[in-house]
Amino acid sequence: MRGLWPLLALLSAALASPVRAEDGYDLWLRYRPLPAAQRPAPRTIAPSADTPTLKVARAELERGLQGLTGAARAQAGAGAGTILLGTPTGSSAVAALHLPLQAAGEEGYVIRTVGATTVIAANRDIGVLYGVFHYLRLVQTGAGVDRLDIASAPKVRRRLLNHWDNLDGSVERGYAGASLWDWWKLPDYRDPRYVDYARANASIGINGAVLNNVNAKADSLTAPYIAKAAALADVFRPYGIKVYLSARFSAPIEIGGLKTADPLDPAVRAFWTAKADEIYRAIPDFGGFLVKANSEGQPGPQDYGRTHVDGANMLADAVGPHGGIVMWRAFVYSHEQPDDRAKQGYSEFKPFDGQFRDNVVIQVKNGPIDFQPREPFHPLFGAMPKSNLGMEFQITKEYLGFATHLVYLGPLYEEVLKSDTYARGPGSTVAKVVDGALDGRRETLVAGVANIGTDRNWSGSPFDQANWYVFGRLAWDPEASSRDIAADWAKMTFSTDPRFVTPVVAMMMGSREAAVDYMTPLGLHHQMGNGHHYGPAPWYSGGARADWTSVYYNKASRDGIGFDRTAAGSNAVAQYAPEVARRFSDLKTVDEKDLLWFHHLPWDYRLRSGATLWDGLVGCYSQGVAAVDGMGRTWADLAPYVDRERHGQVASFLAIQAREARWWRDASIAYFQTLSQRPLPPGEPPPARSLDYYQSLQFPYAPGI
Ligand code: GCW
């Protein structure tokens, strides 16, 4: 027997060791045994009410504590504390504590140590579930749970994922496999994975999902598909997640047998009213519709000479009696419109401020073009005080290297949310527009285009999971720190060891700037390949529409580069508050990160560093490449803290990223040099291949189209 001990010790060390192979399926809900010193004292969970949500809250807590403490069961015993879960209305023990729950609202919670008891309480069951996930996060990150006094409530009411998932299982701009929704087998077969999806979302406070692509098919609104959506809604309900659908504006024609979809036509209005009634019969807590109208070829009210207000309000009237909302996207631009594309969303929507129904939210992309590696904030933020304005971020990395580039999007989201619109004077940040505080609006929304698919690791790579995670946390609190969130995520996903956490958080925090540098530095934008959006193509011109080309945005020529959006150019700056417009317009005050977004400048223009624009541009590309090389080295050093499977995948992806960062640099320099006609700065290696070579590359099978 004694001889067996070393073997058993080895075995249990192997089981507990962080270097056991993992496939990433568990996301950040990875309840592996903590190092002994970090394990909390044993606690029993007091009985709680048997509602669907409290049942899953309790199950999650048990599962988490058992996994994290390595205990067979959450044990009682000498000195063992108790965890009490519930609401004052459902539990007399919770009610007796008279906790300050007023500020918790519908979804917030209080976690408090009261003697030997830790109470996780809320006004509604869903708040308890959110509190349980917060408590588990504290345990997972080694934060200590012995003396707690925490109160948290979401600042934003609707925190939604937008799935661009098609009914055939493909995902527009998806890089993580096929759609999670098995429409074919629904509603009869409910993949157990739907529950894990719901758990993951609830753990970060996401409370809604738009199931289908904004480039919608009307079929999603037919009876069989409503039944399928209802099955998903049933799975998600205990986790506080409501189902929403993208609505195709022309559905009255396609599935309603009408000749028109004119929003002022009584038959059309009757169609939508009946359709909403039908949906609510199947899904009583249905969230509402998301609509992409009169944008990129989608049908909309303008097809009938009507306005966005006519269209949005008609749908709002249909879902309103049931408590539903309409999210009407402001991502509209027309190739028939000669004006700067960056101006069109504002120009179309601003005049309608105050005319939308209370249950309409205008859903605005973070920047005025389209999810580029860097954009200034969208000028509509702050510009429509009498309307509900929601944020649309992209989590899937359509323009940021797909799944294989390591780009943590937290700093991008944070940069936008912290931007000061000056709409009501200094401090009028985008975060305050979005959380409704600036203009006292209650119907608030943050939406994110999901990066989730059937890949075993959900998001395409371990680090892409961080983008889902930070999105949810920032939707809950748009003023939170993306660095703190990265640290939480890294500890939960990999290891709490500071020798791992410190370098990995630094790597994540720098990763977005690296991508900006090797893809589109100094305010350049929309320089990617046409259609698939993969790789560099700053030369791209022609095609169906000018505003889908690269040259439209870089305006590079012998005389210089950049898009003049000052008063001398397109005057897009005039869409911002005067303080902001002045800052963007003036070469002395504009952030050089936005330089070529707002200015067209000669190649010999002097940057603040003293370098010429040409030399500085080349320097940025190289800096981006060097940063990615640095990420590769950092990650290699972290091998001891990560299981081999996930470490290996990230390492391979970083190698792809390093190669593609060089490709971006070299192709961009090769092209722009034909215009700048200047030598590379000393020490800068020339592009590895000829411009012809880069221009010859074709990617007919790139994913996500
Ligand atoms: O980012 C662009 C994408 C399209 C997308 C569109 C949109 C769903 O390239 O694939 O369509 O924006 O946001 O509507």
Side-chain angles (χ1 to χ4, degrees), residues 220-388:
S220 288
L221 301 173
T222 58
Y225 280 91
I226 292 171
K228 294 168 193 282
L232 289 173
D234 289 343
V235 176
F236 300 162
R237 193 165 292 111
Y239 298 88
I241 297 164
K242 283 186 182 173
V243 152
Y244 298 72
L245 290 171
S246 293
R248 183 162 164 91
F249 200 79
S250 53
I253 302 172
E254 287 144 2
I255 60 169
L258 300 181
K259 291 214 161 53
T260 176
D262 180 349
L264 300 193
D265 185 301
V268 171
R269 300 180 72 87
F271 166 87
W272 285 111
T273 304
K275 190 46 78 182
D277 294 349
E278 180 188 353
I279 295 174
Y280 278 93
R281 275 195 299 278
I283 313 173
D285 53 357
F286 178 65
F289 292 130
L290 171 64
V291 187
K292 172 176 178 178
N294 294 120
S295 167
E296 299 186 331
Q298 294 300 311
Q302 293 175 344
D303 304 347
Y304 307 94
R306 312 298 183 192
T307 67
H308 288 294
V309 176
D310 296 328
N313 287 353
M314 170 195 63
L315 290 174
D317 290 344
V319 293
H322 304 280
I325 65 162
V326 170
M327 296 159 292
W328 192 269
R329 296 176 87 226
F331 178 69
V332 298
Y333 64 101
S334 160
H335 61 293
E336 284 149 13
Q337 165 67 263
D339 205 2
D340 177 2
R341 174 172 157 192
K343 292 171 66 181
Q344 295 182 32
Y346 177 101
S347 304
E348 285 221 37
F349 278 84
K350 163 80 182 162
F352 294 130
D353 188 24
Q355 297 182 43
F356 290 98
R357 297 277 192 267
D358 283 346
N359 62 330
V360 172
V361 184
I362 311 300
Q363 183 168 311
V364 184
K365 288 190 181 183
N366 59 272
I369 298 288
D370 192 6
F371 301 136
Q372 293 301 295
R374 169 167 281 119
E375 298 192 27
F377 69 88
H378 199 297
L380 277 174
F381 291 109
M384 295 183 70
K386 291 180 280 180
S387 313
N388 304 316

Side-chain angles (χ1 to χ4, degrees), residues 114-469:
V114 188
T117 302
T118 306
V119 55
I120 304 177
N123 294 314
R124 287 178 53 225
D125 291 350
I126 185 63
V128 178
L129 179 63
Y130 291 148
V132 161
F133 278 115
H134 188 143
Y135 180 83
L136 285 170
R137 187 209 317 157
L138 296 174
V139 177
Q140 283 175 280
T141 56
V145 288
D146 289 339
R147 270 186 301 281
L148 297 177
D149 186 6
I150 293 170
S152 182
K155 291 186 186 156
V156 174
R157 179 164 175 191
R158 310 216 182 223
R159 307 173 298 278
L160 264 60
L161 288 181
N162 288 184
H163 291 270
W164 285 357
D165 291 20
N166 299 314
L167 300 182
D168 64 2
S170 62
V171 180
E172 182 155 349
R173 312 306 176 183
Y175 312 104
S179 172
L180 220 51
W181 321 133
D182 193 341
W183 293 113
W184 188 251
K185 299 195 195 87
L186 280 165
D188 307 287
Y189 176 65
R190 301 173 183 195
D191 189 327
R193 195 163 180 172
Y194 303 150
V195 171
D196 287 329
Y197 165 86
R199 286 176 54 234
N201 277 330
S203 77
I204 49 177
I206 289 172
N207 67 1
V210 182
L211 299 177
N212 59 323
N213 192 351
V214 287
N215 291 331
K217 293 266 192 252
D219 308 66
S220 288
L221 301 173
T222 58
Y225 280 91
I226 292 171
K228 294 168 193 282
L232 289 173
D234 289 343
V235 176
F236 300 162
R237 193 165 292 111
Y239 298 88
I241 297 164
K242 283 186 182 173
V243 152
Y244 298 72
L245 290 171
S246 293
R248 183 162 164 91
F249 200 79
S250 53
I253 302 172
E254 287 144 2
I255 60 169
L258 300 181
K259 291 214 161 53
T260 176
D262 180 349
L264 300 193
D265 185 301
V268 171
R269 300 180 72 87
F271 166 87
W272 285 111
T273 304
K275 190 46 78 182
D277 294 349
E278 180 188 353
I279 295 174
Y280 278 93
R281 275 195 299 278
I283 313 173
D285 53 357
F286 178 65
F289 292 130
L290 171 64
V291 187
K292 172 176 178 178
N294 294 120
S295 167
E296 299 186 331
Q298 294 300 311
Q302 293 175 344
D303 304 347
Y304 307 94
R306 312 298 183 192
T307 67
H308 288 294
V309 176
D310 296 328
N313 287 353
M314 170 195 63
L315 290 174
D317 290 344
V319 293
H322 304 280
I325 65 162
V326 170
M327 296 159 292
W328 192 269
R329 296 176 87 226
F331 178 69
V332 298
Y333 64 101
S334 160
H335 61 293
E336 284 149 13
Q337 165 67 263
D339 205 2
D340 177 2
R341 174 172 157 192
K343 292 171 66 181
Q344 295 182 32
Y346 177 101
S347 304
E348 285 221 37
F349 278 84
K350 163 80 182 162
F352 294 130
D353 188 24
Q355 297 182 43
F356 290 98
R357 297 277 192 267
D358 283 346
N359 62 330
V360 172
V361 184
I362 311 300
Q363 183 168 311
V364 184
K365 288 190 181 183
N366 59 272
I369 298 288
D370 192 6
F371 301 136
Q372 293 301 295
R374 169 167 281 119
E375 298 192 27
F377 69 88
H378 199 297
L380 277 174
F381 291 109
M384 295 183 70
K386 291 180 280 180
S387 313
N388 304 316
L389 223 68
M391 170 66 75
E392 180 177 313
F393 283 127
Q394 197 175 43
I395 310 172
T396 187
K397 302 205 311 300
E398 174 181 358
Y399 299 103
L400 283 136
F402 297 3
T404 38
H405 291 210
L406 195 165
V407 182
Y408 173 56
L409 297 174
L412 187 163
Y413 302 157
E414 185 174 344
E415 175 178 293
V416 174
L417 291 165
K418 285 209 168 125
S419 297
D420 197 341
T421 69
Y422 278 82
R424 293 329 136 247
S428 307
T429 59
V430 172
K432 292 214 149 50
V433 176
V434 164
D435 73 15
L438 193 65
D439 298 306
R441 307 216 60 93
R442 281 205 299 274
E443 189 55 84
T444 52
L445 162 78
V446 174
V449 180
N451 66 349
I452 300 163
T454 50
D455 273 10
R456 184 68 191 157
N457 67 18
W458 302 86
S459 300
S461 88
F463 278 87
D464 285 314
Q465 299 175 351
N467 293 328
W468 179 6
Y469 184 82

Side-chain angles (χ1 to χ4, degrees), residues 392-621:
E392 180 177 313
F393 283 127
Q394 197 175 43
I395 310 172
T396 187
K397 302 205 311 300
E398 174 181 358
Y399 299 103
L400 283 136
F402 297 3
T404 38
H405 291 210
L406 195 165
V407 182
Y408 173 56
L409 297 174
L412 187 163
Y413 302 157
E414 185 174 344
E415 175 178 293
V416 174
L417 291 165
K418 285 209 168 125
S419 297
D420 197 341
T421 69
Y422 278 82
R424 293 329 136 247
S428 307
T429 59
V430 172
K432 292 214 149 50
V433 176
V434 164
D435 73 15
L438 193 65
D439 298 306
R441 307 216 60 93
R442 281 205 299 274
E443 189 55 84
T444 52
L445 162 78
V446 174
V449 180
N451 66 349
I452 300 163
T454 50
D455 273 10
R456 184 68 191 157
N457 67 18
W458 302 86
S459 300
S461 88
F463 278 87
D464 285 314
Q465 299 175 351
N467 293 328
W468 179 6
Y469 184 82
V470 69
F471 166 78
R473 294 282 305 272
L474 284 173
W476 181 278
D477 179 4
E479 288 172 319
S481 142
S482 66
R483 176 181 293 274
D484 292 350
I485 296 170
D488 279 350
W489 176 83
K491 290 176 192 169
M492 296 162 83
T493 305
F494 292 108
S495 162
T496 55
D497 192 320
R499 291 168 296 178
F500 172 80
V501 176
T502 306
V504 99
V505 168
M507 175 177 86
M508 290 169 75
M509 292 305 290
S511 61
R512 184 276 188 128
E513 208 57 50
V516 170
D517 277 341
Y518 63 74
M519 289 180 167
T520 47
L522 296 175
L524 287 175
H525 48 286
H526 207 291
Q527 300 299 296
M528 67 290 160
N530 180 246
H532 49 66
H533 298 171
Y534 171 69
W539 51 80
Y540 179 70
S541 66
R545 14 190 325 177
D547 54 11
W548 283 354
T549 68
S550 303
V551 298
Y552 175 96
Y553 298 97
N554 65 44
K555 304 260 187 284
S557 67
R558 292 282 179 91
D559 73 17
I561 183 169
F563 199 125
D564 185 357
R565 294 193 165 103
T566 68
S570 81
N571 204 22
V573 290
Q575 296 183 334
Y576 292 93
E579 293 85 343
V580 179
R582 271 199 299 278
R583 178 159 48 83
F584 288 158
S585 299
D586 188 342
L587 284 169
K588 288 195 282 303
T589 52
V590 68
D591 191 328
E592 283 188 343
K593 290 174 173 165
D594 295 325
L595 191 63
L596 303 176
W597 185 284
F598 290 113
H599 297 273
H600 183 85
L601 296 166
W603 296 106
D604 288 329
Y605 170 81
R606 289 282 159 186
L607 296 169
R608 281 171 209 148
S609 66
T612 65
L613 177 56
W614 168 246
D615 286 359
L617 187 66
V618 174
C620 283
Y621 287 118

